[in-house]
Amino acid sequence: MQWAVKIDMALPRPIRVILRGVGQVFFCGNAVTGLVFLVALYIGGTTAGLAATVGVITSTITAFLLGFSEDDIDAGLYGFNGTLVGPCLFLFLENTPLLWVYVVFAAILSSVVLAAMIKILTPYKIPASTSPFVLTCWMFMVAIYSFEALSPSPVLPVPGIPEAIASANLPVAAWLSSFTDNTIELWYVALAKGIAEVMFADNVLVGILFLIGILITSVRGAVMAFCGTFVGVLVPIHLGASQNLIEMGLYAFNPVLTMMAVGWVFLKPSTGTAILAFLAGILTVICQAALANFLAPIGLPTLTFPFVLTMWMFLFAAGMSKHWSS
């Protein structure tokens, strides 16, 4: 929207760059959208908001001090991985004063990893996206087992062998045809949290604000995000996934990013790429389940790696197709 672009350009450069970094979590290089996202995070929890703020500022300053691309810094590309690092580590690790120092070092590393990934992937015209965030957080999560001063939170998965689920899920028919107050609420909560969980927020209002923020930047982007969270609820229901995970939006946040990337950002927007995005979103759900089981023995969460892996495969394949165009 033009008014958002005008406000974005009118802001002082440091503020504009920082807020764009927050916005780039959802591919939105606009400071107004970034501000909406940041406010939403603070609504979801002060600690998460502060952690994201520390992360985005640290990673952006690191990129500037190390002399990385000014254009990339201005676009907020060195901010969004740091934005994710902060709330992620505060979710999966025990909240202590030392953890703030840990987050700062992780945010610094995320910018270094991003620069390295850009160097590796640019010849193939493939974005690094959130891969630096994933690699950095995995490293910092595993490292704590060697440090007495840091410990995992109850949310960090306990290492173990994957087991088949055995839960009292609602049958598929109940989700799809029984329009009771209970099932309507289940859908509403699951869809909203699917968007909120991109930044680790277990909050319906945060998800709604995130969607509004995306809409400020792009209608198509918002449509892809909503379709992504819908796919991330509908597909696991049919496959018989854990109802608890579905309700929490934990199967939806990766398809949200995948469908935005394939259907809006990196391939030419068209009906064809929208259909392709749906396919990518469905496959992201399966990829997430597979990676969750693969990582279970070492006790690591998938984070956004299912999105990264699926997006990379589709974008690499796009270079081989006469039908896809970037």
Side-chain angles (χ1 to χ4, degrees):
M1 297 183 183
Q2 287 301 314
W3 63 268
V5 174
K6 290 179 180 178
I7 293 174
D8 173 275
M9 295 305 298
L11 291 172
R13 187 192 177 203
I15 297 175
R16 181 172 69 247
V17 170
I18 293 300
L19 291 178
R20 283 180 178 178
V22 180
Q24 287 286 5
V25 171
F26 284 96
F27 312 103
C28 299
N30 181 276
V32 177
T33 292
L35 179 60
V36 173
F37 291 166
L38 196 58
V39 169
L41 278 175
Y42 276 98
I43 291 173
T46 303
T47 300
L50 284 172
T53 303
V54 169
V56 67
I57 292 174
T58 302
S59 60
T60 303
I61 291 176
T62 298
F64 177 77
L65 293 177
L66 294 179
F68 296 152
S69 166
E70 289 283 337
D71 289 341
D72 288 346
I73 294 172
D74 284 344
L77 298 183
Y78 279 98
F80 69 94
N81 281 286
T83 301
L84 290 169
V85 161
C88 175
L89 291 182
F90 267 90
L91 174 65
F92 290 106
L93 304 184
E94 202 66 48
N95 189 343
T96 64
L98 184 60
L99 186 54
W100 289 102
V101 179
Y102 210 55
V103 165
V104 168
F105 280 110
I108 291 171
L109 180 61
S110 73
S111 285
V112 176
V113 175
L114 176 57
M117 295 297 292
I118 290 174
K119 181 72 172 180
I120 294 169
L121 295 172
T122 295
Y124 305 101
K125 298 181 180 180
I126 300 297
S129 195
T130 60
S131 60
F133 147 69
V134 173
L135 295 174
T136 299
C137 284
W138 279 349
M139 179 190 298
F140 275 65
M141 287 177 194
V142 173
I144 64 164
Y145 294 107
S146 297
F147 305 141
E148 186 178 343
L150 294 160
S151 57
S153 76
V155 180
L156 190 67
V158 177
I161 303 301
E163 296 181 1
I165 68 165
S167 57
N169 294 329
L170 284 176
V172 174
W175 278 87
L176 301 181
S177 60
S178 177
F179 293 103
T180 64
D181 290 344
N182 182 46
T183 53
I184 290 173
E185 183 180 356
L186 286 176
W187 273 97
Y188 167 71
V189 170
L191 291 173
K193 286 187 176 181
I195 300 175
E197 286 288 356
V198 170
M199 293 200 211
F200 309 100
D202 184 28
N203 187 292
V204 170
L205 179 58
V206 173
I208 294 171
L209 289 174
F210 282 174
L211 190 61
I212 291 172
I214 299 167
L215 185 61
I216 290 172
T217 295
S218 168
V219 173
R220 185 180 177 95
V223 170
M224 287 293 110
F226 181 79
C227 290
T229 193
F230 184 78
V231 166
V233 174
L234 185 64
V235 173
I237 288 172
H238 277 88
L239 294 178
S242 164
Q243 182 176 323
N244 185 48
L245 296 181
I246 296 171
E247 285 182 59
M248 292 175 66
L250 297 182
Y251 271 108
F253 68 94
N254 275 294
V256 167
L257 293 174
T258 300
M259 289 197 62
M260 291 180 73
V262 175
W264 170 48
V265 181
F266 298 114
L267 296 180
K268 185 177 179 181
S270 66
T271 302
T273 52
I275 295 171
L276 197 66
F278 267 106
L279 175 61
I282 293 169
L283 294 176
T284 301
V285 173
I286 298 171
C287 181
Q288 180 166 339
L291 283 171
N293 291 325
F294 181 78
L295 293 170
I298 53 177
L300 284 177
T302 62
L303 303 179
T304 58
F305 196 56
F307 145 65
V308 171
L309 189 59
T310 306
M311 177 193 66
W312 278 352
M313 294 304 100
F314 272 76
L315 295 186
F316 271 117
M320 302 296 293
S321 172
K322 64 181 180 180
H323 300 298
W324 305 359
S325 57
S326 57

